[in-house]
Amino acid sequence: MSVLVVGSVALDSIRTPNGSVEEALGGSASYFSLAARHFTDVQMVAVVGEDFPAQGRELLAASGVDMGGLSTQPGRTFRWAGEYGADLAYPKTLATELNVFAGFHPALDAKQRRAETVFLANIDPELQMEVLDQVEKPRFVACDTMNYWITSKREALLQVMRRVDICLLNDEEARLLSGEAQVPRAARVLLDQGVKRLLVKKGEHGALLFSPEERYFCPAYPHENLVDPTGAGDAFAGGFVGYLDRAGDAPTLPIREAMICGTALASLCVEAFSPRRLAEVSRDEIAERIEAIRRVAHMPEVRLG
Ligand code: AMP
């Protein structure tokens, strides 16, 4: 049991109405790994520059993430700066600096090539494809992305999306990629283009699963203490993919349970800046949050007449 993840490891500068941080540990692979490792072992493939602080590496390693695939290259670490408005919904990107990611071409070792579960976190789709091409026989592959790549590498991204078992997008990304304003229509367009399953995250309004066989909705935890939404999507992916990996080759994919786990980890992530909460949260707190979400979601039977 283990998940291989390729994605960004970043230094994030974030402003929200609740405060701000400068050059804090961030990146899609960091948030994903710190959420997924509550369910399974995680092998990370990513790159940082020589300026990456030792505390970032220590926090990930202390959480049990296998950092064998985190390479250090001459140059500066990937940086992202973003700002949230009063609704803490979608960030405005202020700056994206690819830095060492611009020339990164990982070569997986034998253990990484044998990974059964793979998560292609938000990063250049060409890099996602390079990693996927090296994995020998993955049982389950999921991918994520963001507007930056939808706009700049659309065709490469669609190729990745057609190869994987499920794509995770937020509603804005689904609209941008499909050209459709309504989410169910956007999902239809993407499924018609060869995407196998689509999971659309709608922030505080929950997440929707679309596949040719089923549609399912999981509400979000109704949070009163949202501090910083950065990484919520990656933490969702960590809980979701981590749970599915742990389930092994169960006869039916426990996709609904996995959505509840993803929702729980996302709601814990947003309680603090950077992935700090994900690093500290206990198994009991995760179990409690899962139960709270299940209670919110309960729908009674309705009898007419
Ligand atoms: P999320 O809020 O889950 O969508 O993810 C936020 C994380 O994505 C931040 O920690 C950023 O460092 C990272 N990020 C932002 N822009 C990009 C990009 N273009 N490629 C890869 N990672 C990014």
Side-chain angles (χ1 to χ4, degrees), residues 259-291:
M259 284 173 76
I260 301 170
C261 291
T263 302
L265 271 292
S267 74
L268 291 160
C269 172
V270 300
E271 291 174 0
F273 279 99
S274 70
R276 201 156 16 111
R277 262 306 263 150
L278 296 178
E280 288 166 3
V281 71
S282 69
R283 199 174 176 78
D284 284 352
E285 285 176 292
I286 295 174
E288 243 171 65
R289 187 57 57 87
I290 288 173
E291 285 312 305

Side-chain angles (χ1 to χ4, degrees), residues 84-289:
Y84 294 85
D87 61 357
L88 290 173
Y90 298 105
K92 182 172 161 215
T93 291
L94 303 174
T96 302
E97 275 183 44
L98 295 181
N99 296 334
V100 285
F101 265 106
F104 182 52
H105 300 285
L108 302 195
D109 66 22
K111 187 175 166 215
Q112 292 162 342
R113 284 171 181 268
R114 285 196 303 269
E116 294 194 331
T117 303
V118 179
F119 184 60
L120 309 171
N122 173 28
I123 196 63
D124 188 333
E126 287 173 13
L127 185 50
Q128 292 178 318
M129 190 66 101
E130 260 181 56
V131 167
L132 189 53
D133 281 343
Q134 295 178 59
V135 182
E136 284 159 11
K137 218 170 143 224
R139 188 180 58 217
F140 186 82
V141 184
C143 79
D144 191 3
T145 193
M146 74 179 289
N147 50 9
Y148 185 89
W149 303 113
I150 294 173
T151 324
S152 62
K153 300 252 173 124
R154 187 191 170 79
E155 277 316 308
L157 174 63
L158 281 167
Q159 275 185 31
V160 171
M161 289 179 66
R162 288 192 195 100
R163 261 187 74 177
V164 305
D165 298 289
I166 189 163
C167 304
L168 282 67
L169 299 179
N170 70 33
D171 48 348
E172 292 288 287
E173 292 155 358
R175 287 188 187 102
L176 183 64
L177 188 57
S178 66
E180 289 286 346
Q182 294 163 30
V183 167
R185 287 183 68 102
R188 166 62 50 214
V189 166
L190 295 171
L191 292 177
D192 286 350
Q193 288 185 17
V195 170
K196 294 186 191 101
R197 294 187 193 90
L198 191 71
L199 201 155
V200 183
K201 299 161 287 170
K202 298 187 73 181
E204 63 171 328
H205 303 297
L208 281 155
L209 170 73
F210 296 91
S211 78
E213 303 83 38
E214 71 172 318
R215 287 169 170 216
Y216 179 68
F217 173 64
C218 178
Y221 176 70
H223 225 304
E224 292 178 23
N225 304 310
L226 180 53
V227 174
D228 173 18
T230 309
D234 306 308
F236 182 103
F240 178 79
V241 176
Y243 182 85
L244 289 177
D245 182 60
R246 193 185 184 86
D249 47 11
T252 46
L253 202 62
I255 210 155
R256 298 178 177 203
E257 292 91 326
M259 284 173 76
I260 301 170
C261 291
T263 302
L265 271 292
S267 74
L268 291 160
C269 172
V270 300
E271 291 174 0
F273 279 99
S274 70
R276 201 156 16 111
R277 262 306 263 150
L278 296 178
E280 288 166 3
V281 71
S282 69
R283 199 174 176 78
D284 284 352
E285 285 176 292
I286 295 174
E288 243 171 65
R289 187 57 57 87

